[in-house]
Amino acid sequence: MLHINRENLKSSHQLIWFVVDFVMLGLLIINLTFIIWDSIYNFVAIQELLKNHAPTLQALYHPIHERFIFYDMIFVSIFLTEFFLRWGYSVKASIYDRWYFYPFIHWYDLVGCIPVGSLRFLRVLRVISIIYRLHQYKIIDVTNTKIYRFVNFYYEAFMEELSDRIVIKVLSGVQQEVRRGSPLFDKIQQDILYPRRDMLSNWISDRVAEAAQEGYVPNRGALRSYLEDRVDNALKQNLELSRLKYLPVVGPTIQETLEEAVGDIVANVIHQILEDLASASNHAFIEDIVNVFLPAPGGVEAEADEAQNEALISLIIEIIDAVKQQVRVKYWREELP
């Protein structure tokens, strides 16, 4: 059943328009029923059937059928009156940025009023728009109805089937491009990455320096203490160094001096590396790394790169195959009643 939520009727204007919506919804349902029945009655076989089995009904309705356009125009006049009232209200309330936006947005209201058989059924869109508007304002709730659940289930099933086919088609196209082999990777490397090698070196250099400054400099003391403790533990576990303490008189002193020296050396080396990374002098180092990953085209590493590209192609194709297998799973079938 439709759920009525009266708490959302905040103003008298809203209440009036909601009442108008309900009235128009009822008139639209009556009018569409009238149009469908008259379309069925238009068949000669139906008229003969009614004449033979329900002559009274046929006699009462046949004059209405003869003047169908007149009765339909009564509904059209009501629909157009409501349309222009809403248009005027939208202009007065500045609902849209321009006064002429309303008829373009609600084009189906106007087109559905044209008294031509095929266009009359556009009034169904008006029914849907009214129900959607009432549902949006939580005046009614259609999500609990059996019709909505039925339509929504098959809509979701259709969209899943359609999207799955599109995704599989796209992934198959990607596989075909990847199967073409190293030209794809060569094009990415030579035409896209290699011309921007300097830009990549500068960007990576700046990011490394920023990370070193923000991560190392504020925690320099804690890092040094940690390194000294790790080195001290490692040296104590070293068998050769532990034998020094057995030397008479000077053994323990030599052992302690070596531990402190090695700890200072390791800490100072790490400190210097991070200091260099945090400064502008890291650019040459980063540039060398980028040059290793992006060598000049036509280098001696071409054969090795070709083999690596072939392995990478196989890996990518297998990954895409796995994705396609997962996409083929029909989840909507699990929800079948």
Side-chain angles (χ1 to χ4, degrees):
M1 295 296 294
L2 299 179
H3 173 65
I4 306 298
N5 189 348
R6 298 181 180 177
E7 295 179 357
N8 292 278
L9 303 178
K10 297 180 180 179
S11 66
S12 58
H13 289 290
Q14 284 182 324
L15 177 60
I16 291 173
W17 287 118
F18 289 145
V19 170
V20 171
D21 279 333
F22 278 110
V23 173
M24 296 305 299
L25 183 62
L27 288 175
L28 282 165
I29 294 174
I30 295 172
N31 181 238
L32 288 171
T33 305
F34 177 47
I35 292 172
I36 294 172
W37 164 249
D38 191 78
S39 299
I40 296 173
Y41 182 82
N42 200 40
F43 291 101
V44 176
I46 299 297
Q47 295 182 23
E48 293 296 329
L49 182 66
L50 289 175
K51 183 182 291 186
N52 294 330
H53 296 84
T56 304
L57 177 61
Q58 195 272 341
L60 288 174
Y61 184 74
H62 192 74
I64 298 175
H65 173 70
E66 295 293 334
R67 304 184 64 190
F68 171 78
I69 296 295
F70 170 77
Y71 291 107
D72 186 59
M73 289 302 297
I74 295 176
F75 286 98
V76 169
S77 62
I78 297 173
F79 298 153
L80 286 176
T81 301
E82 187 260 351
F83 176 83
F84 286 109
L85 285 175
R86 284 188 180 275
W87 188 2
Y89 177 77
S90 69
V91 173
K92 182 179 179 181
S94 300
I95 297 176
Y96 300 104
D97 294 334
R98 295 291 185 272
W99 64 271
Y100 51 83
F101 280 9
Y102 184 86
F104 285 100
I105 295 174
H106 299 270
W107 60 270
Y108 48 85
D109 288 351
L110 279 178
V111 177
C113 289
I114 299 176
V116 178
S118 58
L119 296 179
R120 289 193 186 102
F121 287 98
L122 286 176
R123 298 171 195 178
V124 174
L125 297 178
R126 195 170 192 177
V127 173
I128 296 174
S129 68
I130 291 175
I131 293 176
Y132 175 76
R133 184 163 57 246
L134 294 174
H135 176 78
Q136 190 177 28
Y137 283 99
K138 299 182 180 179
I139 303 303
I140 62 175
D141 184 7
V142 299
T143 58
N144 292 326
T145 61
K146 292 183 178 180
I147 296 177
Y148 175 84
R149 289 196 295 267
F150 176 82
V151 173
N152 185 66
F153 172 78
Y154 285 101
Y155 170 78
E156 294 293 338
F158 170 76
M159 292 303 297
E160 183 178 349
E161 290 287 342
L162 180 63
S163 62
D164 287 354
R165 292 179 182 273
I166 294 174
V167 171
I168 291 174
K169 183 68 175 178
V170 171
L171 292 177
S172 298
V174 173
Q175 281 184 313
Q176 292 178 1
E177 291 294 328
V178 172
R179 283 194 181 98
R180 293 179 182 178
S182 58
L184 174 63
F185 297 97
D186 291 340
K187 185 175 182 179
I188 294 174
Q189 178 177 329
Q190 297 176 13
D191 299 344
I192 299 175
L193 296 178
Y194 182 77
R196 296 170 175 81
R197 188 167 58 174
D198 293 337
M199 182 194 70
L200 292 173
S201 298
N202 293 332
W203 184 83
I204 295 174
S205 176
D206 293 339
R207 298 288 81 76
V208 170
E210 183 180 351
Q213 289 175 355
E214 295 181 358
Y216 167 66
V217 175
N219 302 298
R220 187 183 322 180
L223 179 60
R224 185 179 182 88
S225 298
Y226 174 79
L227 290 173
E228 289 177 349
D229 290 339
R230 294 297 93 198
V231 171
D232 184 55
N233 291 333
L235 291 175
K236 287 180 179 179
Q237 296 175 6
N238 185 271
L239 182 60
E240 287 76 9
L241 188 62
S242 63
R243 291 174 181 172
L244 291 176
K245 66 182 179 180
Y246 296 110
L247 292 175
V249 183
V250 296
T253 303
I254 294 175
Q255 183 186 22
E256 183 178 352
T257 302
L258 283 174
E259 290 176 355
E260 292 178 357
V262 173
D264 288 338
I265 291 172
V266 173
N268 287 330
V269 169
I270 299 295
H271 170 75
Q272 189 59 50
I273 291 174
L274 293 175
E275 285 285 349
D276 291 340
L277 290 177
S279 66
S281 61
N282 72 352
H283 182 75
F285 172 70
I286 299 297
E287 187 176 4
D288 291 338
I289 295 178
V290 173
N291 290 339
V292 171
F293 285 100
L294 295 175
V300 295
E301 302 87 353
E303 294 183 1
D305 289 344
E306 185 70 22
Q308 292 177 356
N309 287 343
E310 293 297 333
L312 183 58
I313 288 172
S314 300
L315 175 63
I316 293 175
I317 290 176
E318 290 180 9
I319 292 174
I320 295 177
D321 281 332
V323 174
K324 289 168 66 175
Q325 290 295 329
Q326 185 62 33
V327 170
R328 288 192 179 99
V329 177
K330 309 301 181 185
Y331 291 102
W332 63 269
R333 293 178 180 174
E334 300 177 1
E335 300 179 5
L336 281 172

